[in-house]
Structure formats: structure tokens, C-alpha cells
Amino acid sequence: MTKRDDIVEKLTGITGIGTVRAQRIYDQCGKSRCIETIVNNPDYVRIHGNVPRDVVYHARETFMSNAFGLRPDTADGTWCVKDEAEIRKEFAMHWRALEAQRQYVDKIADIHRERLLSRPDVTGMHVGLWRRGGKIVCPLQYCIRVHVQRKLQVSCTDETLIATPNRYMPTPLERLIDGVRVDVLSHNYDPVSALTDKLRSKARTLRGGYAIAPDHDPDNWGTLGIRVDHLHDGMRYFLTNAHVVGSRGAQVQQPFSDARKDSLDIGSVVDAPVFDEFIDAALIADSKLRRTRGDVQSQTGKFIAKDLTQADVDRRTIVFKIGAATGRTSGRVKSINYSPKFRDVQMNRQILVEADHKIIDGGDSGAVLYVRDEEHDINIVVGLVHGKTFEKDAAGNVIRDGFGLVASPIGRVIERLKIKI
């Protein structure tokens, strides 16, 4: 039996695909790579192979578990890995197929984003790799990861749905959307700018990473990000979050104290702070420029700005932040197109970073997110941290609090505030 005959036979085994249709799919949709095309670009097969939509998506689901060259799999078609070296090896071997698959899943996610995020039980979503029990499933598969307030263990007799309606999930959630797997995880989001601990020393020289607060609300504190230069007036400012300092003209101090003599007056908030779909950012003017430093606490080297790319997600790039509450912590980039709900604001295209330990807490809002280039002693600023993630168990108890952080992409911040780092 030739390779063509073998593939045609596999296609013919799919309900709705006969011998003639299987041969047409083979000839029109990539020949020996036609099954890979079904998995990664089903719309192409639907159009060029003249295959009904429901048939091609059923075929895609059937071939999903061994989409990359039909390699031998385990008994159930998948296995789970957590080893970073093995994950990078999988990416290197199948990067073309994975790139095409991710682009397709991104397209489907964009089509259904508004509908999914409008659900009262959904707190956010992003496109990521399918996981089981916190481990990545191989063969690697992209899916739509829908975040909910609380993930429940429920039985559902309808195989097309993830869960039956309940008081936390009032309407059914599909298991597949246009042939793309839906993965549900428990994630909630909060800005991180308030703690009652006031044990912070007064600084003599301002540096990024120190605790700050508006003087009218000293308990609502966050982190001084980094010094920046304004492109229009050439003045130097400090960057932080809008939700940390409040409105334009607010006076900001370091640290925070009801007794003004115990605090260092930094300056006032300039222009109108921005808290919208893409960024949470504000600028603080400091008239005493001799006190300021361009660096970030405990981190040497030059600072430059550059946005993360999808390659950083695929390579699971390690990023760092230095916040006033938890200091220097690190995690891996999970998404650069993340859509969390923050209070009354629906944010989009945010950076999601996660770790297997606590990396953020109240008071870290305003810290810069950066990648460290040790070889050239350069710190590449990629985002401005403004929130954390936490999960809830079935009983409603908060677990894994602060194991993930959310940041605005630095390119958007720079463009909107007209600054440079």
C-alpha cells in the first residue's frame, strides 16, 4: 500500500468522507500533508476540498491527537509533560504546524471573544496550550483557555458540552468551538495596590521598585516603576499605574504615612492617568531631579524597552519584576493576547505571566516587567504590572493567590503616554 492509499484509507474512515471525497482532499489539500492541513486549517479543506463544515470539523477532532506526522502515541493518544527541555524540543520539531494551528485558534478566539467574555461566570480568556493537571499535553495542541470564577467538577451527559448549566455557569459552555478545543480554568483577577503593612523606610534617592502612595489615601499604595523621559517636553517622570495614584494633580509620597514629616514628597500626577482597554498607567512629575535614578532597585545594567512577541510565548521566556511588596520575582510568559476583566473594565491584549509559586502581592502594582540579558548586562522592559491572578476551589476558598501576574505591553504604554525609557 502506498502512502497515498494509506492516507485515503484513513480519511475514508471518517463519517461523511467517502473514497471520492478522500481522494479529492488528498489532491487539493496538501497531499501527504493533508491531514495536518485538516487539523491546522480546516477552513482551507472545507473550501478547496468541497467538504461540509460539520464533516471537516469532525475529521479535525479525530486527527487532533496525532496531528504532527501521525507519529505513534500512547494508548489514549496523549501524554503530559512539565519538563521545559522536552516542551522546547516539541516546539522545535513541529513549529510550522504549531504556528499554523495557533493562527487558526487565534482567529476563532477573536470571533467568539465578545460572546465568551460577556458571560457573567467568565473572568477572562487567552489562547494557550492544552493542559491537564497543570501539565502540558503532548502532542502540543493550542486551545481557547476560558477563565471562570470557580471551576466545578460536574458530570455532563452531553459530549458536546463541558458543563451543564448551574448557578456558577448559567448557560452551557461548549467543549469545541468551530473545531477548537475549549479548556476551562479557575482564574480571578485583582489590581494589586493595597496592603495595611506600612513597614517601609524613607528613601533618600528615588529608584524604581520603591513603595509609593497618594497622600490623600496612604493605605492605597503601589510601586514606583521606572524613570522615563517625555518626548514632547523633555522632562523626566516616573511611571506607575493609574489605579495606584488616582487622578491628575494628586500628590504622591514615598513611603506612605499619615505624618508628612515621615514621608518623602515625590511630586504630582501629570496629565490624566490612563486606565482603559489596553493600559493602566500614570506619570508622576518630580521637580527635584537630582534625587531621581533611572535604574530599578537591586538591578544593575541599562534599561531599554521592547515588546514581547509570540516567540516569547512559544519559548516560555522568563521575565522578572521588582515590586515594593514581593521584591524581585520571576515567571514564564503564558500569553501576550490575554483578555481579563478588571472591575468594570474589559482589558485586551495583556501579558499573562505564571509560575508555580507566589510572584506578586498587594503593593506590587506599577512595577516594570522585564527580560534580563545577562550577556550584555541589559534589562529589556516589556510591560507594566497592574494585577494578579488567584483561584477558588469548589468551596469558594481562595487558593494559588498571586501565582500569576498581568501587565500592559510596554509598547502601548510608550505610545499612549508619549515617553521613552
Side-chain angles (χ1 to χ4, degrees), residues 28 68 109 185 223 230 296 309:
Q28 300 295 323
F68 310 109
L185 60 156
T223 297
H230 202 282
V296 175
T309 67

Side-chain angles (χ1 to χ4, degrees), residues 126-152:
H126 76 282
V127 170
L129 293 172
W130 180 32
R131 286 173 168 80
R132 281 180 178 170
K135 295 182 179 180
I136 292 178
V137 174
C138 282
L140 301 179
Q141 302 172 33
Y142 280 103
C143 64
I144 298 174
R145 309 201 77 202
V146 178
H147 304 206
V148 297
Q149 295 177 22
R150 192 183 305 181
K151 184 176 180 180
L152 302 178

